[in-house]
Amino acid sequence: MDSVTIAGVDCGTNSIRLMIAEVDEHGLHVVTPRILRIIRLGQGVDKNRRFADDALQRAYAAVKEFADVLSRHHVDDLRFVATSATRDAANRNDFEDEVESILGVRPEVIPGSEEAALSFLGATATLHSTQDQTRPQPPYMVVDLGGGSTELVVGGDGNAVPAHNVRSGFSMNIGSVRMSERHLLADPPTEEQIEEATADIDAHIDEAFTHIPAQDVSTIIGVSGTVTTMSAIAMGCQSYDRHAVDGARINFDDAFEADDRILRMSREERGRVGAIHPGRIDVVGGGALIWTRVLTRVASAAATRGRHIDSFLASEHGLLDGIVLDRGRKMLAGLI
């Protein structure tokens, strides 16, 4: 068996994605470009610890759409991965049962540690195709900023530990939906709410830094819808252009200006920003604040070791790519 065709589903707190790709010894080759639907599955989960009925209906509608796409392709395997919101929901069994009845596979609710490792795999596997003119230097930190959680993953230095191998990772229980619903309730958010959210985010980063060597990082790679959306805005894109964003190097000054501007906008103002998907309008401000704090804190930690970081790489490749690539490699190796 020289190649396998794998379908992967990444079901997060705010969005759900499907990708079908062929995996061989050279990597991943997309068969069906990723399909994204904003479903806000994590609506109210931070407060109520259960899925809302309307959120479940949005999720089921997307899963049925994916089932239709899958019916038109032969796939050797399908893996459905669910993350932060599903980990927290008391009624997750109802969700898992219904998805299984539609797709024939049961969602795997993976721990944050596995989510982090798969995001790192997906993001670093495509570094060779980056737009950046200078070769990204290890160690790499991949930041997967989701709706309910944010994963920080650090790889090796390229010497003692291969650059594409995970050295350590940590999943913070903060994300764009969680921070927006927990703190940024006014429209636009008040200065007090922003300060409270910042303190909450920094406390989680403090804990993360006891588990990962942030001071050793040389290159930051940002993945997820929040990061790529804010990158497009920092680049001045009038509408979202995934080809322009993928692999682009973004200076911190441009990123921080865009993050702060979007954070302080009203919902109506964000709705007029063409690069923001309508499904992210309510929560992108919370994600932008997390992104600013992560970049600031990682750069500060790296500076203690004489490492100067003033930019990051934006990537369209993350958890979903990692799900498909990992599954394909295991099938080719006879491990599944």
Side-chain angles (χ1 to χ4, degrees), residues 76 107 189:
D76 296 302

Side-chain angles (χ1 to χ4, degrees), residues 160-302:
V161 179
H164 293 278
N165 286 13
V166 172
R167 181 173 163 191
S168 59
F170 188 77
S171 180
M172 302 186 293
N173 210 27
I174 52 174
S176 61
V177 174
R178 203 179 293 272
M179 287 297 97
S180 297
E181 291 186 349
R182 186 181 296 176
H183 297 291
L184 308 177
L185 301 176
D187 184 25
T190 66
E191 197 64 39
E192 182 180 6
Q193 289 171 348
I194 292 171
E195 290 175 0
E196 290 174 352
T198 299
D200 193 356
I201 293 164
D202 279 346
H204 282 85
I205 295 174
D206 287 342
E207 181 183 6
F209 282 9
T210 66
H211 297 271
I212 59 171
Q215 70 278 1
D216 292 345
V217 172
S218 292
T219 300
I220 302 172
I221 305 168
V223 304
S224 81
T226 290
V227 172
T228 54
T229 295
M230 293 311 306
S231 296
I233 294 170
M235 294 169 68
C237 298
Q238 297 305 303
S239 60
Y240 188 74
D241 183 346
R242 70 183 304 269
H243 299 291
V245 170
D246 188 31
R249 183 174 287 278
I250 312 294
N251 291 324
F252 281 1
D253 288 345
D254 295 333
F256 294 159
E257 187 280 328
D259 289 347
D260 191 64
R261 176 160 46 91
I262 296 300
L263 169 64
R264 296 173 187 280
M265 281 183 178
S266 67
R267 187 185 189 283
E268 181 181 358
E269 290 171 327
R270 290 194 299 273
R272 294 197 293 266
V273 179
I276 302 177
H277 187 289
R280 300 191 191 282
I281 289 171
D282 290 334
V283 300
V284 70
L289 181 58
I290 294 171
W291 188 223
T292 284
R293 294 310 303 157
V294 168
L295 293 176
T296 301
R297 295 289 304 278
V298 174
S300 179

Side-chain angles (χ1 to χ4, degrees), residues 95-125:
F95 169 68
E96 293 167 13
D97 289 344
E98 184 65 19
V99 169
E100 186 173 20
S101 73
I102 297 169
L103 285 182
V105 298
R106 195 166 187 83
E108 296 179 52
V109 184
I110 62 173
S113 56
E114 183 177 358
E115 182 179 356
L118 290 173
S119 293
F120 187 87
L121 171 63
T124 59

